């Protein structure tokens, strides 16, 4: 089968389009023919080796965690699905993923694809949806009326998080450039903070402090997010772990914060489907790339200026 592999860490040049052996499903697994694969910043971070301490794998490795496709084969003891079922899922980072024509996955972490969506649209949802739901609902303990600041609201995770928070009754603040203000407002943002001109900490404090700040930028922005949240607030981060100063600041304010990775599970995927089918959440695919344009996709992700999601169309 055709696949894009990496044989070592490095820049875009380590991405190699080649032929590899088609995998076979084991017990409790299914073989999925990949129709589309969403691209995420974690892809290039894995490629660079920036997450070696958190995710280890052997080479060659096939990246790609956002997958939508059709079940082509069912392994032993995999009785929840049948050949021909359309499914979507977030694949574990330490396993071969969706930059390939076929992918083997444990049936416990997949769900039926939202029926109203194409495979390209469905492939834009698992990683961002699971990340946002678990960060805001589980880590952040978001409730109706919660004041939530979502950084980088125009990005993939931010776009979903705004819609999800709004659907659950939160008052949503977000940071975005002026050029993307209308876009994030269309997703449901109540207050847009232009990070090029405004100080989100100052604005947050003027409004009594945020209940939750969803940290999607990292670096120096992480510590500032601790200042923007109220005492005993929550700051989930998906970019990097807190450094010593950030931890100390969080302890002073009794703020709950940590670096988090998503948990792939069927029930949360089914919640994403319910949100989509009810109209509470819409997909935000900004560009569809051909399978051979993986390098271009990584370049676009690394620019930090993408709006919504980038998706590879494999079939």
């Amino acid at each position: 089968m055709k696949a894009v592999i990496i044989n070592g860490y490095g820049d875009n040049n380590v991405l190699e389009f080649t032929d590899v052996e088609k995998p076979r499903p084991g017990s409790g697994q299914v073989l999925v023919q990949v129709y589309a694969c969403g691209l995420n910043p974690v892809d290039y971070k894995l490629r660079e080796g920036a997450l070696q301490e958190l995710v280890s794998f052997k080479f060659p490795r096939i990246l790609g965690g956002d997958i939508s496709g059709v079940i082509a084969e069912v392994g032993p003891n995999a009785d929840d699905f049948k050949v021909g079922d359309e499914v979507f899922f977030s694949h574990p980072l330490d396993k071969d993923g969706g930059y390939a024509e076929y992918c083997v996955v444990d049936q416990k972490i997949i769900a039926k694809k939202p029926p109203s969506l194409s495979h390209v649209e469905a492939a834009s949802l698992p990683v961002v949806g699971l990340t946002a739901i678990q960060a805001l609902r589980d880590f952040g303990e978001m409730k109706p009326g919660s004041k939530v600041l979502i950084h980088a609201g125009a990005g993939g995770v931010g776009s979903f998080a705004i819609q999800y928070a709004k659907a659950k009754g939160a008052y949503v603040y977000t940071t975005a450039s002026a050029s993307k203000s209308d876009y994030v407002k269309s997703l449901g943002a109540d207050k847009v903070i232009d990070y090029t001109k405004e100080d989100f900490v100052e604005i947050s404090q003027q409004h009594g402090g945020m209940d939750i700040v969803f940290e999607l930028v990292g670096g120096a922005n992480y510590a500032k997010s601790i200042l923007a949240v109220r005492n005993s607030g929550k700051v989930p981060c998906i970019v990097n772990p807190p450094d010593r100063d950030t931890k100390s600041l969080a302890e002073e304010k009794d703020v709950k914060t940590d670096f988090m990775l998503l948990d792939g599970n069927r029930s949360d995927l089914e919640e994403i489907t319910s949100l989509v089918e009810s109209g509470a959440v819409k997909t935000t695919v900004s560009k569809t790339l051909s399978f051979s344009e993986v390098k271009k996709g990584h370049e676009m992700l690394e620019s930090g200026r993408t709006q919504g999601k980038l998706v590879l169309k494999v079939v």
Side-chain angles (χ1 to χ4, degrees):
M1 69 172 185
K2 294 292 184 183
V4 176
I5 66 171
I6 60 171
N7 275 301
Y9 298 120
D11 61 19
N12 284 344
N13 292 320
V14 301
L15 293 163
E16 178 185 351
F17 195 77
T18 187
D19 289 299
V20 299
E21 186 176 350
K22 182 179 174 181
R24 297 295 302 274
S27 179
Q29 296 180 323
V30 297
L31 177 70
V32 174
Q33 182 179 9
V34 178
Y35 276 54
C37 180
L39 298 178
N40 297 283
V42 72
D43 295 355
Y44 75 77
K45 292 177 182 178
L46 287 169
R47 187 207 73 216
E48 292 174 337
L51 301 179
Q52 292 182 61
E53 294 184 4
L54 296 171
V55 182
S56 61
F57 48 66
K58 296 180 180 179
F59 298 107
R61 176 61 61 196
I62 301 172
L63 302 176
D66 253 343
I67 299 169
S68 182
V70 176
I71 293 180
E73 186 179 344
V74 175
N77 304 311
D79 305 319
D80 295 349
F81 299 90
K82 65 183 185 299
V83 172
D85 283 345
E86 296 184 319
V87 296
F88 77 139
F89 55 96
S90 173
H91 206 50
L93 297 179
D94 60 345
K95 307 294 183 184
D96 280 336
Y99 292 7
E101 292 180 315
Y102 291 89
C103 175
V104 164
V105 61
D106 190 311
Q107 69 167 359
K108 293 179 181 178
I109 65 169
I110 68 177
K112 294 285 187 67
K113 177 182 75 66
S116 67
L117 300 184
S118 67
H119 284 289
V120 166
E121 292 170 323
S124 74
L125 288 172
V127 168
V128 299
L130 293 171
T131 300
I133 288 171
Q134 292 165 15
L136 296 175
R137 180 197 65 196
D138 301 337
F139 191 97
E141 300 176 1
M142 185 176 66
K143 301 176 177 62
S146 292
K147 291 182 291 185
V148 179
L149 170 58
I150 297 164
H151 284 301
V157 176
S159 295
F160 188 100
I162 289 172
Q163 297 179 85
Y164 176 70
K166 192 64 179 177
K168 297 302 179 181
Y171 190 89
V172 183
Y173 301 73
T174 191
T175 56
S177 63
S179 64
K180 296 176 180 176
S181 178
D182 288 343
Y183 170 68
V184 294
K185 285 180 181 176
S186 74
L187 300 175
D190 296 292
K191 168 67 176 175
V192 182
I193 301 170
D194 182 353
Y195 66 86
T196 67
K197 298 178 181 178
E198 299 176 291
D199 184 345
F200 71 84
V201 174
E202 182 180 330
I203 292 174
S204 297
Q205 292 174 344
Q206 289 172 354
H207 290 80
M210 298 293 116
D211 297 305
I212 306 167
V213 176
F214 193 7
E215 178 51 72
L216 304 176
V217 177
N221 207 71
Y222 196 168
K224 289 186 66 178
S225 293
I226 303 294
L227 296 174
V229 76
R230 63 169 174 79
N231 289 354
S232 302
K234 315 289 195 305
V235 183
C237 179
I238 66 167
V239 184
N240 56 263
D243 59 22
R244 183 184 304 173
D245 291 340
T246 303
K247 283 184 178 179
S248 176
L249 189 59
E251 289 172 359
E252 288 177 17
K253 296 188 65 176
D254 191 29
V255 168
K256 178 185 175 184
T257 190
D258 206 351
F259 173 75
M260 57 176 294
L261 291 171
L262 67 85
D263 169 42
N265 66 80
R266 188 182 301 169
S267 63
D268 285 349
L269 287 171
E270 290 173 343
E271 179 172 358
I272 293 170
T273 293
S274 296
L275 290 164
V276 168
E277 296 303 316
S278 71
V281 167
K282 61 183 178 181
T283 58
T284 57
V285 178
S286 60
K287 190 171 183 63
T288 303
L289 303 170
S290 68
F291 191 18
S292 61
E293 293 182 298
V294 175
K295 289 186 179 181
K296 179 180 178 181
H298 276 230
E299 290 171 1
M300 294 175 69
L301 287 173
E302 290 176 89
S303 75
R305 295 184 175 88
T306 56
Q307 176 175 300
K309 284 296 297 283
L310 306 176
V311 179
L312 294 178
K313 191 173 187 298
V314 181
V315 175

